[in-house]
Amino acid sequence: MGEEPMTFSANFSLVLPEVVLAIAALVLLVAGAFRGKVGAIFTLAAVASLIAAAATAVLGPKGVAFGGVYVADAAATYAKVAIYLSSAVAVVLGDRWLAQRGDQKFEYAVLVILAALGMGVTASAGDLISLYIGVELQSLALYVLAAMRRDDAKSSEAGLKYFVLGALSSGLLLYGSSLIYGFTGSTHFSQIALAAAHGGSHGVGLLFGLVFVICGLAFKVSAAPFHMWTPDVYEGAPTPVVGFFAAAPKLAAMMMFARVLGDAFPASEEQWRQILVIAALLSVFVGAFAGLAQSNLKRLWAYSSIANVGYALLGVAAGGEVGLQSMLIFMTLYMVDVTGFFACLQALNRDGKPMETIQDMAGLVKQRPGVALAMTAFSLSALGLPPFSGFWAKYFVFKAAMGTGDVMMQWAAVIGLVGSVVAAFYYLRLIKAMWFDEATGSVDAPSPSARAVGFAAAVFSFPIVLVALVWLEPAAKAAAAAFGHA
């Protein structure tokens, strides 16, 4: 006997987190358009809707909806909780930052919610069409967020560059998807997996489609050599928007990688592993060496994010439950660090001007010791010093790579470790400026919300992470076990 078709209410219950966000975005958009001004209640409503969506994802039923197009499993739940909570923090930080500059806009919160909605759809994608819809929904919102301050030339340039290169990556993704559909006759990951497992005459064409899809996804995670937009966008976009870019969208994009490769191409692991290892090592070394020449902290952290994407890709390349678990743990710990760092950065101003270069941080510890300590913790964590969270993130990835038994993966782990040592120099340069250089002026009082987020993230980086790993590790393991069972 075949399975009975699911009722509309059963399907609807599975997509409830995205329905909550869609309704919240529409209501807030209409309310903002009529009221014009944004108040505390507006921000609170946006944050509440994101938290409600995260709670709905945890408490809601699990299964496959709309004939396999949408998957609500442990992996999707894990990613959505991290993405929605990170987006809620971004709403709070961005709203305060814009308010301080007299440029508060209701569109900011609405765009963050729409981006989170797109990320949620990609995390639950069960076929190429739903994946593409999720990617475009999040990308369109992110393009506008990058150019949020349209009177600022750098912000407008950042948005335009992001849009043009994003359109190129979407083209690659779409062309690869069309090749996969052409050679397998289906867009569903489960059907593609069956066709790929049987190989046959369409094997080479399918491999071409897979390569195009990987190139499109590599742009979305800003992996080398598709990273060219990242430093310029990070430098030009508003600081809280950059903090948002570096956190939630990166996890969503890594989930896309895991969904496409783990659900649709598990039988082609040997082929896509080689591509991922090359992209991972290129990312690690581009991020490490190019970062050495940077003095602007937003550009420096852009290269840092490129290097960190390389480590996460090593986890995906390792494959299996252990590899995907390591990627999820890495991205979660990285999101906390990067959100905290940019919260501290947006809190720092000298005589009303934002402090964005390493030279601006000179003598920070004498004037703002709390913020300097937090930024020191994030820098030590990013370079992978034990016992900070960044050390544990890399530990899980390198352990997964070594555990594959594949010589190529083991060498990739060793080379990745070398890249991590090179990148340590620019984190130490920042610490040296904060602790040992002479200050050149007085630092303004940081905003309470940004300072609170920065301090909380720093405390999480160490010592809370030691406790958090007790539940984070099994949660990531359960999420990783869900891949490939759509």
Side-chain angles (χ1 to χ4, degrees):
M1 291 179 66
E3 291 184 14
E4 291 187 7
M6 290 176 69
T7 62
F8 177 76
S9 60
N11 284 312
F12 187 81
S13 64
L14 292 174
V15 297
L16 204 51
E18 283 68 49
V19 172
V20 169
L21 290 183
I23 292 173
L26 291 174
V27 170
L28 290 173
L29 183 64
V30 173
F34 275 99
R35 290 178 61 85
K37 296 290 182 183
V38 178
I41 295 178
F42 190 91
T43 305
L44 190 63
V47 171
S49 66
L50 287 161
I51 293 174
T56 309
V58 173
L59 301 173
K62 302 290 179 285
V64 178
F66 305 114
V69 170
Y70 181 96
V71 180
D73 57 10
T77 301
Y78 183 100
K80 286 178 189 178
V81 170
I83 289 168
Y84 296 160
L85 294 183
S86 173
S87 302
V89 174
V91 168
V92 174
L93 292 176
D95 184 59
R96 292 298 91 201
W97 190 86
L98 290 168
Q100 286 172 351
R101 283 152 182 76
D103 198 19
Q104 205 172 16
K105 297 181 174 77
F106 73 87
E107 293 93 337
Y108 174 77
V110 175
L111 287 167
V112 171
I113 292 175
L114 287 174
L117 172 59
M119 293 178 222
V121 172
T122 58
S124 280
D127 83 343
L128 291 169
I129 294 175
S130 58
L131 180 85
Y132 187 74
I133 290 172
V135 168
E136 288 307 299
L137 181 54
Q138 81 173 63
S139 296
L140 288 172
L142 294 178
Y143 300 150
V144 184
L145 280 172
M148 194 73 198
R149 303 194 75 195
R150 60 179 182 271
D151 295 332
D152 183 277
K154 281 192 171 182
S155 181
S156 300
E157 181 188 344
L160 184 61
K161 282 184 176 176
Y162 194 13
F163 173 74
V164 171
L165 294 171
L168 174 66
S169 78
S170 293
L172 290 172
L173 185 61
L174 206 54
Y175 184 60
S177 300
S178 64
L179 280 176
I180 292 171
Y181 173 69
F183 283 101
T184 63
S186 177
T187 57
H188 287 235
F189 291 163
S190 55
Q191 296 300 316
I192 295 170
L194 281 175
H198 288 99
S201 59
H202 57 250
V204 176
L206 200 55
L207 189 60
F208 268 102
L210 176 61
V211 170
F212 274 107
V213 167
I214 289 177
C215 290
L217 294 178
F219 176 88
K220 298 299 180 187
V221 294
S222 61
F226 305 96
H227 64 284
M228 65 291 282
W229 62 274
T230 314
D232 292 340
V233 172
Y234 274 44
E235 184 181 7
T239 304
V241 172
V242 178
F244 179 55
F245 279 177
K250 288 285 166 63
L251 174 59
M254 295 308 300
M255 279 293 294
M256 282 190 270
F257 258 118
R259 282 283 183 214
V260 173
L261 301 180
D263 287 0
F265 293 96
S268 308
E269 185 174 303
E270 291 305 317
Q271 283 81 22
W272 54 253
R273 173 179 283 174
Q274 296 173 30
I275 303 172
L276 285 196
V277 168
I278 292 170
L281 294 182
L282 275 176
S283 301
V284 167
F285 277 92
V286 166
F289 283 99
L292 295 176
Q294 306 303 317
S295 59
N296 183 289
L297 284 172
K298 287 160 80 174
R299 290 186 72 87
L300 188 154
W301 224 256
Y303 283 107
S304 171
S305 77
I306 293 168
N308 280 291
V309 159
Y311 300 123
L313 283 177
L314 274 184
V316 179
E321 288 184 22
V322 176
L324 295 172
Q325 178 196 12
S326 71
M327 180 274 286
L328 291 171
I329 293 175
F330 183 92
M331 289 308 301
T332 307
L333 298 179
Y334 173 71
M335 282 171 67
V336 176
D337 276 352
V338 79
T339 301
F341 179 84
F342 279 102
C344 289
L345 191 61
Q346 79 170 65
L348 292 173
N349 293 284
R350 201 187 292 277
D351 302 324
K353 294 181 180 177
M355 298 165 59
E356 293 185 349
T357 66
I358 290 179
Q359 292 77 19
D360 289 338
M361 299 298 155
L364 183 65
V365 72
K366 294 173 185 169
Q367 299 184 42
R368 299 291 166 195
V371 178
L373 272 172
M375 292 184 79
T376 302
F378 299 132
S379 300
L380 293 175
S381 179
L383 70 84
L385 188 77
F388 290 92
S389 56
F391 165 76
W392 296 107
K394 289 178 183 172
Y395 166 77
F396 280 102
V397 167
F398 291 148
K399 182 183 171 189
M402 298 299 284
T404 56
D406 185 323
V407 176
M408 179 182 67
M409 286 301 303
Q410 291 171 342
W411 273 108
V414 173
I415 296 170
L417 189 61
V418 173
S420 182
V421 173
V422 174
F425 179 78
Y426 53 70
Y427 300 120
L428 293 174
R429 196 154 54 107
L430 172 60
I431 294 172
K432 180 251 180 190
M434 289 190 294
W435 286 80
F436 300 109
D437 290 357
E438 287 298 323
T440 56
S442 60
V443 179
D444 301 344
S447 70
S449 58
R451 188 172 54 182
V453 170
F455 287 177
V459 173
F460 179 88
S461 181
F462 179 76
I464 292 178
V465 67
L466 300 177
V467 181
L469 281 173
V470 174
W471 58 264
L472 185 62
E473 192 179 350
K477 186 176 182 180
F483 284 106
H485 298 287

